[in-house]
Amino acid sequence: MNSKTILAAAGLALLTTTTALAGDVRIMWYSDGVEGEVLKDLLSRFSEENPGINVIVDEVAYSVIKEQLPVQLAGGNGPDIARVTDIKNLAEYWLDLTPYLSDPETWKKNYGAQADWMRVDGSDAITGFMTQITLTGGFANKTLFEQAGVELPGNDATWAEWVEASSKVAESQQLPFAFAIDRSGHRIAGPAISYGAKFIGEDGMPNPVDDGMKAFIADFVKWNEDGSHAKDVWVSAAGTTYRPATDDFINAQTAFYYSGSWQVANLDTKIDGAFDWVATGSPCGPEACTGMPGGAAVVAIKDTKNPEEVAKVMEYLASTPVAKEFAERTLFLPANKEVIAGGLDFDTDSQAVKDVLNTFVAATETTAPEAQALPAWKWAGPYYSALVSRVSQVIAGELTLEDAYARIDSDMADKVKQAQ
Amino acid sequence: MSADSSRQRYTLSGLSFAVIRPVMGLIDIPLRALQRVGGQTGMAAFFILPNMAVFTIFVLVPFVINFVYSMTGGIEIFLNQRDFVGAYQYKEIFSCADYLEPATCKQDGFWTAAQNTAMFVVLQVALLIAVSLITAVILNREIIGRSFWRAVFFFPVLLSPVVVGLIWRWILQRDGLLNAILFELFGADQFNWLVDRTAAFAATIGVSIWAHMGFYTLILLAGLQAIPKDLYEAAEMDGTPRSRVFWRITMPLLMPNLLVVLVLALIRAVQVFDEVFVLTGGGPGTSTMYIVQYIYEMGFASELRNPGLAAAASILMGAVLIVLTLLQMAAARRNEKKGAN
């Protein structure tokens, strides 16, 4: 073999390792629990049926999706498919699958309810589907409530009633605090709407902080100051950093934990029978008893070189039997209407977990219209950021409530100006 | 033993000699030609060229790009898609009624972070140098297990900043090791070190000193060992008190090393980020949010990131670093002159 042949072979080898070949479909995927494993198992069956399509799954941390994917998309170097939660703000990068799908109508029928969440305003493109619908809601440590001899508040109980009951449990059981809400603007959006807050103004732009929002923030700050709420969670970080209180609930350090349905598999695995726990739905405010819907979507990327193959993979993953199996094995609430209508047999031996999931399904009935609209609203993310950073500052004693309200409004005005 | 026999002799084996000599001969030809054409200055420029190329590509060009970024606005990431806005971002930052009162500033986060950083730099650098100096002086003495202690103090330098942050978080958090020890020893109530503003700020300083002092101790130790022993012997024979020996012999002769330590510690303190970000996340509130975290938040973490503002803030931070470095260089030169006189 002469040197030219060796060089040519080396060059070809290099090219084949760095260039996407026709038929390659690269998926960027993050996992909250076991869904990465389930996805790969489902795709192995797809590959058997479609030997011409080479599906590559790049499993990455959520931070990569949040921080690096937007840069890759802007540079035209993204994957072919990605699993994302910032669905609306990046919608300009999603591919319209309509011309490539074999049955767009069925897709619209099954996933149409969330279609607006993942396309630019005014478009009717089919860009992807929700792998799961999530809903924020509470979890109570039933064992601690029983040991304290405190009744679990009922379905229509208010936030004040939940805080009062949890405080009694905390006092009786010597807990460091009564309840905790994750450090996230999304997590307090539902409770704020329950108090009557309106995020979206009549012109579709961010609404100034209103009486409902003020009432909830004031109560939330008060609960932090009197020690009912876990001060660590909201004060122990600056800016927009996300901090969950999951470990505090798992370690039985708090009686009531407000997070969401995506935690079910995680709590089931980690609590592992150490105590009994139940889902509670969302406590009520004067206006509603609502959680915040959301979830993760699988979307096709506009810059893909293989749109036909991408559409085939997407259609397979979105199909009713595959979506059903995915939901049952990951313990996620499905978005596919056919799957919901047909009922689910969640892959768990625990009746308690099944009850928890059913509670979340039931809680979707009380979701307020304002909460339903937020996932498709482009300013929701920036509003959550402003809320979390300014409310934290109030709890830390850096801002007064009135200053915080003014700052949230000016932060949003800045964001709108910056985006124009 | 004769002088000749004590000197180690290095010889090339036959094969190495056969390979190296022709190669050296080949290199020699263009180098001689270059020297004839460019003279000594040209040769120096030729040798410094690779270094300058690396500096240009990886430092100078990014700096210029960052400066151009700071003159742009909007939410797009790529420079060619962004609008030129001139000094708008700088005006935003300096839009302030009272610079000492961040709440009166439009970009209150920047001024809070700048004030926190200034306070951190002053306290951390002063304490770091003091602690490193004391440690170096002690480790320079004939103490039992000296090598072991040197290793102990240097060990944290080897740790990743993220590991440092995590270790100390486990120690300082509400149900952490420190509270457990205090409870066992004194029955003390749980104190939330990372939620109390003063304690959290002090913790960032303490942890940062713990993590980096080994490096500075090593530099000072090298300086202490370079001081001629006969000076100390002469002082001892004269019966000079130890404190006077320290201030009149040790400190003046250690000054070049102290200046190096001061410059390095200052630059590092202004850039503090990683271990603090893991330890406190910038909280409670914004009391440990330093300027690099502000830049990170603006440029990468917040919803609707603001790369222009982040770039402007980093340019201002760079300007402060340049001023600090120039001041230290001037001080070093003055010190050298003093030494020469």
Side-chain angles (χ1 to χ4, degrees), chain A residues 260-292:
Chain A
S261 58
W262 61 93
Q263 294 280 9
V264 173
N266 186 32
L267 295 182
D268 181 41
T269 309
K270 291 188 178 154
I271 293 172
D272 195 24
F275 56 83
D276 292 334
W277 55 284
V278 291
T280 66
S282 282
C284 300
E287 299 293 327
C289 315
T290 187
M292 268 299 302

mmCIF file of all heavy atoms in Angstrom, chain A residues 260-292:
data_model
loop_
_atom_site.group_PDB
_atom_site.id
_atom_site.type_symbol
_atom_site.label_atom_id
_atom_site.label_comp_id
_atom_site.label_asym_id
_atom_site.label_seq_id
_atom_site.Cartn_x
_atom_site.Cartn_y
_atom_site.Cartn_z
ATOM 1 N N GLY A 260 -44.024 18.554 41.187
ATOM 2 C CA GLY A 260 -44.841 18.212 40.036
ATOM 3 C C GLY A 260 -44.791 16.742 39.688
ATOM 4 O O GLY A 260 -44.035 15.967 40.262
ATOM 5 N N SER A 261 -45.591 16.389 38.685
ATOM 6 C CA SER A 261 -45.804 14.980 38.357
ATOM 7 C C SER A 261 -44.539 14.275 37.879
ATOM 8 O O SER A 261 -44.439 13.056 37.998
ATOM 9 C CB SER A 261 -46.880 14.880 37.274
ATOM 10 O OG SER A 261 -46.482 15.620 36.139
ATOM 11 N N TRP A 262 -43.578 15.022 37.325
ATOM 12 C CA TRP A 262 -42.352 14.394 36.832
ATOM 13 C C TRP A 262 -41.514 13.792 37.966
ATOM 14 O O TRP A 262 -40.599 13.047 37.726
ATOM 15 C CB TRP A 262 -41.510 15.416 36.052
ATOM 16 C CG TRP A 262 -41.083 16.588 36.881
ATOM 17 C CD1 TRP A 262 -39.921 16.719 37.572
ATOM 18 C CD2 TRP A 262 -41.813 17.784 37.129
ATOM 19 N NE1 TRP A 262 -39.878 17.915 38.234
ATOM 20 C CE2 TRP A 262 -41.040 18.589 37.975
ATOM 21 C CE3 TRP A 262 -43.060 18.255 36.725
ATOM 22 C CZ2 TRP A 262 -41.466 19.826 38.426
ATOM 23 C CZ3 TRP A 262 -43.476 19.498 37.177
ATOM 24 C CH2 TRP A 262 -42.693 20.266 38.008
ATOM 25 N N GLN A 263 -41.862 14.124 39.206
ATOM 26 C CA GLN A 263 -41.089 13.624 40.348
ATOM 27 C C GLN A 263 -41.530 12.217 40.767
ATOM 28 O O GLN A 263 -40.861 11.595 41.593
ATOM 29 C CB GLN A 263 -41.280 14.545 41.563
ATOM 30 C CG GLN A 263 -40.727 15.933 41.421
ATOM 31 C CD GLN A 263 -39.228 16.000 41.663
ATOM 32 O OE1 GLN A 263 -38.560 14.975 41.781
ATOM 33 N NE2 GLN A 263 -38.702 17.201 41.742
ATOM 34 N N VAL A 264 -42.638 11.727 40.212
ATOM 35 C CA VAL A 264 -43.239 10.507 40.763
ATOM 36 C C VAL A 264 -42.263 9.319 40.750
ATOM 37 O O VAL A 264 -42.036 8.666 41.778
ATOM 38 C CB VAL A 264 -44.546 10.155 40.007
ATOM 39 C CG1 VAL A 264 -45.078 8.808 40.449
ATOM 40 C CG2 VAL A 264 -45.594 11.232 40.253
ATOM 41 N N ALA A 265 -41.657 9.049 39.576
ATOM 42 C CA ALA A 265 -40.740 7.898 39.486
ATOM 43 C C ALA A 265 -39.552 8.089 40.424
ATOM 44 O O ALA A 265 -39.098 7.155 41.106
ATOM 45 C CB ALA A 265 -40.279 7.724 38.051
ATOM 46 N N ASN A 266 -39.052 9.309 40.470
ATOM 47 C CA ASN A 266 -37.905 9.630 41.331
ATOM 48 C C ASN A 266 -38.232 9.403 42.809
ATOM 49 O O ASN A 266 -37.476 8.751 43.550
ATOM 50 C CB ASN A 266 -37.529 11.099 41.068
ATOM 51 C CG ASN A 266 -36.266 11.522 41.772
ATOM 52 O OD1 ASN A 266 -35.364 10.721 41.963
ATOM 53 N ND2 ASN A 266 -36.210 12.777 42.168
ATOM 54 N N LEU A 267 -39.393 9.916 43.248
ATOM 55 C CA LEU A 267 -39.787 9.755 44.657
ATOM 56 C C LEU A 267 -40.037 8.276 44.974
ATOM 57 O O LEU A 267 -39.620 7.786 46.030
ATOM 58 C CB LEU A 267 -41.048 10.570 44.956
ATOM 59 C CG LEU A 267 -40.934 12.103 44.852
ATOM 60 C CD1 LEU A 267 -42.259 12.755 45.215
ATOM 61 C CD2 LEU A 267 -39.839 12.639 45.757
ATOM 62 N N ASP A 268 -40.683 7.596 44.042
ATOM 63 C CA ASP A 268 -40.986 6.173 44.268
ATOM 64 C C ASP A 268 -39.686 5.386 44.481
ATOM 65 O O ASP A 268 -39.583 4.578 45.411
ATOM 66 C CB ASP A 268 -41.756 5.628 43.058
ATOM 67 C CG ASP A 268 -42.117 4.160 43.232
ATOM 68 O OD1 ASP A 268 -42.517 3.793 44.359
ATOM 69 O OD2 ASP A 268 -41.984 3.390 42.270
ATOM 70 N N THR A 269 -38.692 5.658 43.640
ATOM 71 C CA THR A 269 -37.422 4.918 43.736
ATOM 72 C C THR A 269 -36.684 5.279 45.014
ATOM 73 O O THR A 269 -36.189 4.401 45.728
ATOM 74 C CB THR A 269 -36.530 5.283 42.517
ATOM 75 O OG1 THR A 269 -37.309 5.115 41.344
ATOM 76 C CG2 THR A 269 -35.298 4.401 42.449
ATOM 77 N N LYS A 270 -36.599 6.553 45.312
ATOM 78 C CA LYS A 270 -35.733 6.985 46.423
ATOM 79 C C LYS A 270 -36.385 6.812 47.794
ATOM 80 O O LYS A 270 -35.693 6.528 48.773
ATOM 81 C CB LYS A 270 -35.275 8.424 46.207
ATOM 82 C CG LYS A 270 -34.305 8.509 45.029
ATOM 83 C CD LYS A 270 -33.670 9.862 44.900
ATOM 84 C CE LYS A 270 -32.671 9.864 43.738
ATOM 85 N NZ LYS A 270 -32.487 11.185 43.183
ATOM 86 N N ILE A 271 -37.675 7.030 47.893
ATOM 87 C CA ILE A 271 -38.337 6.835 49.199
ATOM 88 C C ILE A 271 -38.427 5.335 49.493
ATOM 89 O O ILE A 271 -38.216 4.909 50.635
ATOM 90 C CB ILE A 271 -39.732 7.506 49.205
ATOM 91 C CG1 ILE A 271 -39.557 9.024 49.123
ATOM 92 C CG2 ILE A 271 -40.510 7.127 50.475
ATOM 93 C CD1 ILE A 271 -40.848 9.786 48.923
ATOM 94 N N ASP A 272 -38.678 4.573 48.464
ATOM 95 C CA ASP A 272 -38.580 3.116 48.538
ATOM 96 C C ASP A 272 -39.263 2.529 49.790
ATOM 97 O O ASP A 272 -38.684 1.717 50.508
ATOM 98 C CB ASP A 272 -37.086 2.722 48.504
ATOM 99 C CG ASP A 272 -36.917 1.233 48.199
ATOM 100 O OD1 ASP A 272 -37.827 0.659 47.601
ATOM 101 O OD2 ASP A 272 -35.875 0.658 48.594
ATOM 102 N N GLY A 273 -40.456 3.016 50.076
ATOM 103 C CA GLY A 273 -41.227 2.448 51.182
ATOM 104 C C GLY A 273 -40.840 2.939 52.559
ATOM 105 O O GLY A 273 -41.362 2.446 53.579
ATOM 106 N N ALA A 274 -39.921 3.906 52.643
ATOM 107 C CA ALA A 274 -39.496 4.404 53.969
ATOM 108 C C ALA A 274 -40.670 5.083 54.694
ATOM 109 O O ALA A 274 -40.715 5.093 55.924
ATOM 110 C CB ALA A 274 -38.344 5.384 53.809
ATOM 111 N N PHE A 275 -41.567 5.680 53.945
ATOM 112 C CA PHE A 275 -42.793 6.243 54.532
ATOM 113 C C PHE A 275 -43.869 6.282 53.451
ATOM 114 O O PHE A 275 -43.563 6.128 52.258
ATOM 115 C CB PHE A 275 -42.549 7.641 55.128
ATOM 116 C CG PHE A 275 -41.985 8.656 54.171
ATOM 117 C CD1 PHE A 275 -42.807 9.367 53.301
ATOM 118 C CD2 PHE A 275 -40.616 8.928 54.155
ATOM 119 C CE1 PHE A 275 -42.286 10.303 52.425
ATOM 120 C CE2 PHE A 275 -40.080 9.869 53.267
ATOM 121 C CZ PHE A 275 -40.917 10.552 52.404
ATOM 122 N N ASP A 276 -45.090 6.489 53.855
ATOM 123 C CA ASP A 276 -46.192 6.583 52.891
ATOM 124 C C ASP A 276 -46.324 8.033 52.431
ATOM 125 O O ASP A 276 -46.242 8.954 53.254
ATOM 126 C CB ASP A 276 -47.514 6.154 53.538
ATOM 127 C CG ASP A 276 -47.522 4.668 53.851
ATOM 128 O OD1 ASP A 276 -46.792 3.936 53.151
ATOM 129 O OD2 ASP A 276 -48.217 4.258 54.792
ATOM 130 N N TRP A 277 -46.524 8.204 51.152
ATOM 131 C CA TRP A 277 -46.689 9.560 50.617
ATOM 132 C C TRP A 277 -47.809 9.575 49.588
ATOM 133 O O TRP A 277 -48.105 8.552 48.972
ATOM 134 C CB TRP A 277 -45.385 10.076 50.022
ATOM 135 C CG TRP A 277 -44.785 9.179 48.974
ATOM 136 C CD1 TRP A 277 -44.120 8.021 49.183
ATOM 137 C CD2 TRP A 277 -44.820 9.364 47.554
ATOM 138 N NE1 TRP A 277 -43.726 7.458 47.999
ATOM 139 C CE2 TRP A 277 -44.135 8.268 46.976
ATOM 140 C CE3 TRP A 277 -45.349 10.335 46.707
ATOM 141 C CZ2 TRP A 277 -43.984 8.116 45.607
ATOM 142 C CZ3 TRP A 277 -45.191 10.200 45.339
ATOM 143 C CH2 TRP A 277 -44.507 9.095 44.800
ATOM 144 N N VAL A 278 -48.426 10.711 49.460
ATOM 145 C CA VAL A 278 -49.553 10.843 48.526
ATOM 146 C C VAL A 278 -49.431 12.139 47.725
ATOM 147 O O VAL A 278 -48.766 13.085 48.168
ATOM 148 C CB VAL A 278 -50.915 10.886 49.274
ATOM 149 C CG1 VAL A 278 -51.233 9.553 49.900
ATOM 150 C CG2 VAL A 278 -50.935 11.999 50.321
ATOM 151 N N ALA A 279 -50.047 12.146 46.555
ATOM 152 C CA ALA A 279 -50.145 13.399 45.795
ATOM 153 C C ALA A 279 -51.385 14.140 46.275
ATOM 154 O O ALA A 279 -52.373 13.518 46.659
ATOM 155 C CB ALA A 279 -50.246 13.110 44.307
ATOM 156 N N THR A 280 -51.301 15.457 46.262
ATOM 157 C CA THR A 280 -52.395 16.240 46.849
ATOM 158 C C THR A 280 -53.105 17.142 45.845
ATOM 159 O O THR A 280 -54.063 17.824 46.196
ATOM 160 C CB THR A 280 -51.857 17.155 47.957
ATOM 161 O OG1 THR A 280 -51.003 18.126 47.351
ATOM 162 C CG2 THR A 280 -51.086 16.364 48.992
ATOM 163 N N GLY A 281 -52.577 17.210 44.608
ATOM 164 C CA GLY A 281 -53.084 18.233 43.698
ATOM 165 C C GLY A 281 -52.579 19.595 44.147
ATOM 166 O O GLY A 281 -51.695 19.681 45.002
ATOM 167 N N SER A 282 -53.144 20.651 43.588
ATOM 168 C CA SER A 282 -52.698 22.000 43.965
ATOM 169 C C SER A 282 -53.654 22.621 44.965
ATOM 170 O O SER A 282 -54.872 22.629 44.728
ATOM 171 C CB SER A 282 -52.616 22.887 42.726
ATOM 172 O OG SER A 282 -51.453 22.609 42.015
ATOM 173 N N PRO A 283 -53.120 23.146 46.072
ATOM 174 C CA PRO A 283 -53.999 23.864 47.011
ATOM 175 C C PRO A 283 -54.693 25.045 46.317
ATOM 176 O O PRO A 283 -54.236 25.494 45.267
ATOM 177 C CB PRO A 283 -53.034 24.342 48.092
ATOM 178 C CG PRO A 283 -51.882 23.416 48.014
ATOM 179 C CD PRO A 283 -51.743 23.061 46.567
ATOM 180 N N CYS A 284 -55.749 25.515 46.933
ATOM 181 C CA CYS A 284 -56.552 26.567 46.300
ATOM 182 C C CYS A 284 -56.182 27.956 46.809
ATOM 183 O O CYS A 284 -55.704 28.118 47.936
ATOM 184 C CB CYS A 284 -58.034 26.339 46.605
ATOM 185 S SG CYS A 284 -58.629 24.760 46.009
ATOM 186 N N GLY A 285 -56.398 28.929 45.955
ATOM 187 C CA GLY A 285 -56.357 30.330 46.347
ATOM 188 C C GLY A 285 -57.756 30.875 46.202
ATOM 189 O O GLY A 285 -58.692 30.114 45.912
ATOM 190 N N PRO A 286 -57.926 32.177 46.335
ATOM 191 C CA PRO A 286 -59.271 32.750 46.209
ATOM 192 C C PRO A 286 -59.867 32.561 44.810
ATOM 193 O O PRO A 286 -61.087 32.568 44.651
ATOM 194 C CB PRO A 286 -59.055 34.237 46.493
ATOM 195 C CG PRO A 286 -57.703 34.359 47.081
ATOM 196 C CD PRO A 286 -56.920 33.171 46.699
ATOM 197 N N GLU A 287 -59.036 32.407 43.784
ATOM 198 C CA GLU A 287 -59.542 32.372 42.408
ATOM 199 C C GLU A 287 -59.550 30.994 41.775
ATOM 200 O O GLU A 287 -60.302 30.751 40.837
ATOM 201 C CB GLU A 287 -58.704 33.311 41.523
ATOM 202 C CG GLU A 287 -58.738 34.768 41.945
ATOM 203 C CD GLU A 287 -60.113 35.391 41.760
ATOM 204 O OE1 GLU A 287 -60.826 34.999 40.818
ATOM 205 O OE2 GLU A 287 -60.474 36.251 42.581
ATOM 206 N N ALA A 288 -58.664 30.094 42.183
ATOM 207 C CA ALA A 288 -58.564 28.793 41.507
ATOM 208 C C ALA A 288 -57.794 27.810 42.372
ATOM 209 O O ALA A 288 -57.259 28.173 43.433
ATOM 210 C CB ALA A 288 -57.860 28.961 40.169
ATOM 211 N N CYS A 289 -57.785 26.550 41.920
ATOM 212 C CA CYS A 289 -56.971 25.515 42.574
ATOM 213 C C CYS A 289 -56.116 24.903 41.478
ATOM 214 O O CYS A 289 -56.309 23.759 41.090
ATOM 215 C CB CYS A 289 -57.847 24.425 43.189
ATOM 216 S SG CYS A 289 -59.262 25.027 44.105
ATOM 217 N N THR A 290 -55.218 25.691 40.947
ATOM 218 C CA THR A 290 -54.554 25.252 39.724
ATOM 219 C C THR A 290 -53.072 24.942 39.885
ATOM 220 O O THR A 290 -52.375 25.592 40.665
ATOM 221 C CB THR A 290 -54.734 26.314 38.609
ATOM 222 O OG1 THR A 290 -54.218 25.788 37.388
ATOM 223 C CG2 THR A 290 -54.000 27.608 38.929
ATOM 224 N N GLY A 291 -52.641 23.951 39.120
ATOM 225 C CA GLY A 291 -51.215 23.707 38.938
ATOM 226 C C GLY A 291 -50.801 24.314 37.612
ATOM 227 O O GLY A 291 -51.624 24.927 36.927
ATOM 228 N N MET A 292 -49.546 24.166 37.276
ATOM 229 C CA MET A 292 -49.050 24.679 35.998
ATOM 230 C C MET A 292 -48.745 23.511 35.072
ATOM 231 O O MET A 292 -47.940 22.652 35.400
ATOM 232 C CB MET A 292 -47.742 25.464 36.218
ATOM 233 C CG MET A 292 -47.934 26.940 36.436
ATOM 234 S SD MET A 292 -48.721 27.741 35.034
ATOM 235 C CE MET A 292 -47.561 27.328 33.754
#
